[in-house]
Amino acid sequence: MKVAVVGATGLVGSKMLQVLTERNFPVTELIPVASEKSVGKEVTFKGKTWKVVNAATAISMQPNVAIFSAGGGTSLEWAPKFAAAGITVIDNSSAWRMDPTKKLVVPEVNGDAITREDKIIANPNCSTIQMVLVLKPLHEKYKIKRVVVSTYQSVTGTGVKAVTQLMNERQGITGEMAYPYQIDLNVIPQIDVFLDNGYTKEEMKMVNETKKIMGDDSILVTATTVRIPVMGGHSESVNIEFENEYEVSELRTILENTPGVIVVDDPSRAQYPMPKDAHDKDEVFVGRIRRDETQPKTVNMWIVADNLRKGAATNAVQIAEYLSGKNWL
């Protein structure tokens, strides 16, 4: 199988290569794609080196699948060109997520929405992916009315520049800034740009993407997304109101039996999910599961996942695995 990774030299692109290797995806030929300034550089994959090419060259090489992680502008320009050449695109940017003609997919949640005809498939936002993986089985059992989520998001979600800013500040070095403010020893309650309604783009992504992936516009979602000085993954405090009554023990059992979810929840031993424990893992971790004592049929929980893996690279590779399993690539 010929696999193109568009944005192969970036933070998420590098993680894609790592995940493709670890999950033993059947790559016979890798086509690393990047901007013109990176063309000719070499990328190592499974012990071999592959030369970076531009997007036009990649199309002429006719890969079976192209996994994009190169930003919305690149995806808008090039994904349709790959698709027109018969190449299936899995896109990690926000470019196609809310396009009504494109599927927005978390394989464990709505993989069955994909058809053979889908040539551009959108990978959801990292903070949405980890949340819907937990919400889906609970929605099926109790029917979710409303979700209130506050996120605590890793600097890796911004990219290499943000990681460098954090480490520079930690060492007292003045350098290029990814954020308008210091991030070390600080918390920034803004991810992406502000919209007219006072919410950020990231917050509205969580609202709109959740409804699309879950296939239910009746679910009310409100979000506050926050950048914190960590690198292991994203954390979320999630308050979920159901239409139907639940038992905490039953709810916990449902999550324990959900593929891709690991429950870490033992307050007596101070056990709960933390970003450092989710780092470099594909699962979504859930803990601090407890009844909201201020209103009925409502539960609080804490959800953590590695945003570069399940929140980006792993989910994209899982979509490719699903397509491969159907012989659609």
Side-chain angles (χ1 to χ4, degrees), residues 43-303:
V43 165
T44 302
F45 177 72
K46 289 191 172 180
K48 290 176 72 175
T49 55
W50 307 84
K51 271 202 167 40
V52 173
V53 300
N54 65 21
T57 302
I59 292 172
S60 71
M61 294 170 76
Q62 278 293 299
N64 300 83
V65 62
I67 305 176
F68 273 61
S69 190
T74 301
S75 294
L76 285 171
E77 180 183 357
W78 285 100
K81 295 176 182 177
F82 275 77
I87 302 158
T88 300
V89 172
I90 301 166
D91 182 47
N92 197 50
S93 80
S94 60
W96 304 100
R97 289 176 188 158
M98 295 314 297
D99 184 321
T101 67
K102 305 292 184 285
K103 305 294 169 51
L104 182 64
V105 175
V106 177
E108 302 95 327
V109 175
N110 66 333
D112 57 1
I114 305 172
T115 68
R116 182 191 282 272
E117 286 66 47
D118 291 312
K119 282 298 173 191
I120 299 176
I121 300 163
N123 209 38
N125 185 39
C126 46
S127 47
T128 307
I129 289 174
Q130 67 188 70
M131 185 171 76
V132 296
L133 203 61
V134 172
L135 295 184
K136 177 66 172 178
L138 302 181
H139 185 51
E140 287 176 351
K141 179 70 177 178
Y142 307 114
K143 188 150 178 48
I144 294 171
K145 281 174 67 175
R146 182 171 187 254
V147 177
V148 182
V149 54
S150 298
T151 72
Y152 306 73
Q153 295 182 223
S154 162
V155 293
T156 56
T158 308
V160 175
K161 192 172 163 186
V163 173
T164 303
Q165 178 183 334
L166 173 61
M167 299 320 289
N168 279 348
E169 288 169 353
R170 198 147 283 192
Q171 296 164 55
I173 299 167
T174 301
E176 197 179 6
M177 303 270 285
Y179 304 116
Y181 303 103
Q182 171 185 324
I183 184 63
D184 189 34
L185 299 175
N186 194 25
V187 163
I188 302 173
Q190 177 190 352
I191 298 179
D192 214 323
V193 297
F194 281 101
L195 303 172
D196 290 343
N197 64 357
Y199 287 81
T200 65
K201 213 168 167 184
E202 181 85 356
E203 288 159 357
M204 294 314 297
K205 283 177 191 174
M206 293 194 75
V207 172
N208 297 322
E209 291 179 22
T210 297
K211 295 180 180 194
K212 183 170 178 177
I213 297 163
M214 301 277 284
D216 191 338
D217 284 338
S218 74
I219 299 172
L220 302 174
V221 182
T222 186
T224 303
T225 58
V226 180
R227 190 71 68 190
I228 65 170
V230 301
M231 292 208 297
H234 291 351
S235 305
E236 299 171 348
S237 169
V238 187
N239 177 272
I240 310 162
E241 181 185 356
F242 301 115
E243 282 194 12
N244 303 311
E245 191 48 83
Y246 72 95
E247 291 298 330
V248 172
S249 58
E250 181 187 53
L251 184 151
R252 187 180 278 109
T253 300
I254 289 169
L255 293 177
E256 286 171 345
N257 292 317
T258 299
V261 172
I262 294 178
V263 176
V264 182
D265 190 24
D266 188 349
S268 68
R269 295 195 293 165
Q271 290 188 344
Y272 30 71
M274 292 181 288
K276 73 176 188 63
D277 300 322
H279 181 61
D280 249 355
K281 296 192 171 71
D282 287 333
E283 295 82 12
V284 172
F285 299 83
V286 189
R288 299 297 319 280
I289 301 167
R290 64 216 187 270
R291 185 174 288 278
D292 181 342
E293 296 184 342
T294 66
Q295 68 171 13
K297 303 174 187 173
T298 305
V299 67
N300 284 304
M301 61 182 66
W302 177 251
I303 303 172

